[in-house]
Amino acid sequence: MKTYSQFCPVAMAAEIFAERWTPLIIRELLMGSRRFSELEYGMPRIPRSLLTQRLRTLEDAGVVTRKAQGESKRAEYHLTEAGADLLDVVMRLGEWGQKWVNHDIGLGNVDPTLLVWDMHRRVNIDLLPEERVVVQLDFHGAAKGTYWLVLEKPEPSVCMWDPGFEVDLFVATDTIAIHRAWMGMTSFAECVEDGLIELDGLTAHVKAFPGWFKLNVFSGVERVVNAG
């Protein structure tokens, strides 16, 4: 690990927290990811070797602990008290980024895997129907791909491969449009009206679909346009 060789607590904290990918690893652990594969879903572009290296560094720093769970002894990663104490740091960083970083959603930053992973953990459980609903999302445009959301109580899941269930609702979406809607830059209804998102299924499912999800946790932060 490179150091600043300064006694300042900001410098010492940055040596641990501010390495590339580390804030996103902390974000994923704070959002409930525990297994290595779950961390990869939240950061699909990180090399596996680098993720392993960063987790070891965080373990050595006392931020993350690695535990063997179940009969399979599969490794799970949990934040320590010191790691959980970074919640406010991550939230403030995300709010600052949403407010002040002058950006829009485009070809360079769309990530359907992260989007669908985020959607599955932002489900309004209480608003789901009693029966299981399988949603197939087909992305086109800036990035292509097909994913499935299995929406059922008490725990929805996301599938990167066909889960083998009959699909109840098909969602065909322009990739950039649904990312912008997810981040609160436009509305889901506007995307549907403009033909950028198309839904095909039972009328009840089509009407209810937008309400089944809370938007991204930072979507409600007011953005400052053309920040200098």
Side-chain angles (χ1 to χ4, degrees):
M1 180 193 301
K2 295 181 180 179
T3 70
Y4 295 105
S5 299
Q6 289 191 352
F7 64 86
C8 171
V10 174
M12 292 188 289
E15 289 170 2
I16 298 170
F17 179 78
E19 281 197 293
R20 180 171 170 80
W21 291 107
T22 296
L24 304 191
I25 294 172
I26 301 297
R27 177 198 70 191
E28 290 303 306
L29 291 169
L30 286 168
M31 293 293 288
S33 294
R34 294 289 176 263
R35 295 177 178 173
F36 194 92
S37 59
E38 293 174 340
L39 293 169
E40 287 185 299
Y41 288 147
M43 300 173 292
R45 297 174 184 174
I46 187 173
R48 291 175 63 88
S49 59
L50 184 56
L51 177 54
T52 299
Q53 178 185 330
R54 290 290 187 266
L55 286 168
R56 286 175 179 166
T57 298
L58 290 171
E59 285 185 74
D60 292 341
V63 174
V64 169
T65 183
R66 184 176 183 269
K67 300 178 181 179
Q69 298 290 340
E71 295 181 0
S72 65
K73 301 298 182 182
R74 178 177 293 183
E76 288 191 357
Y77 298 90
H78 296 260
L79 291 169
T80 63
E81 182 180 0
D85 210 26
L86 287 168
L87 173 61
D88 287 344
V89 177
V90 172
M91 291 301 296
R92 297 294 84 77
L93 184 64
E95 290 168 359
W96 183 89
Q98 179 76 344
K99 180 178 180 179
W100 291 106
V101 176
N102 189 23
H103 66 85
D104 201 352
I105 302 296
L107 183 62
N109 57 9
V110 292
D111 192 334
T113 300
L114 172 59
L115 176 68
V116 177
W117 184 247
D118 203 24
M119 289 177 70
H120 108 277
R121 59 191 178 193
R122 297 284 292 168
V123 173
N124 275 314
I125 299 293
D126 293 340
L127 298 184
L128 291 179
E130 292 303 316
E131 71 278 5
R132 179 182 64 208
V133 178
V134 178
V135 180
Q136 178 175 313
L137 296 105
D138 295 303
F139 291 81
H140 58 80
K144 298 177 175 63
T146 299
Y147 304 81
W148 292 263
L149 289 168
V150 181
L151 303 179
E152 58 185 343
K153 301 176 180 180
E155 188 173 349
S157 59
V158 60
C159 298
M160 308 301 170
W161 299 271
D162 190 341
F165 300 127
E166 182 178 353
V167 175
D168 301 294
L169 180 63
F170 293 88
V171 180
T173 178
D174 175 82
T175 300
I176 291 177
I178 196 170
H179 277 76
R180 296 189 78 249
W182 188 247
M183 294 307 301
M185 298 175 181
T186 186
S187 72
F188 189 87
E190 287 176 323
C191 291
V192 171
E193 184 177 346
D194 293 339
L196 297 171
I197 298 178
E198 298 178 342
L199 298 96
D200 183 20
L202 292 176
T203 301
H205 291 162
V206 170
K207 289 182 177 180
F209 179 74
W212 288 341
F213 303 92
K214 308 167 191 175
L215 296 180
N216 180 273
V217 68
F218 300 113
S219 62
V221 177
E222 184 176 355
R223 301 175 72 236
V224 177
V225 180
N226 296 323

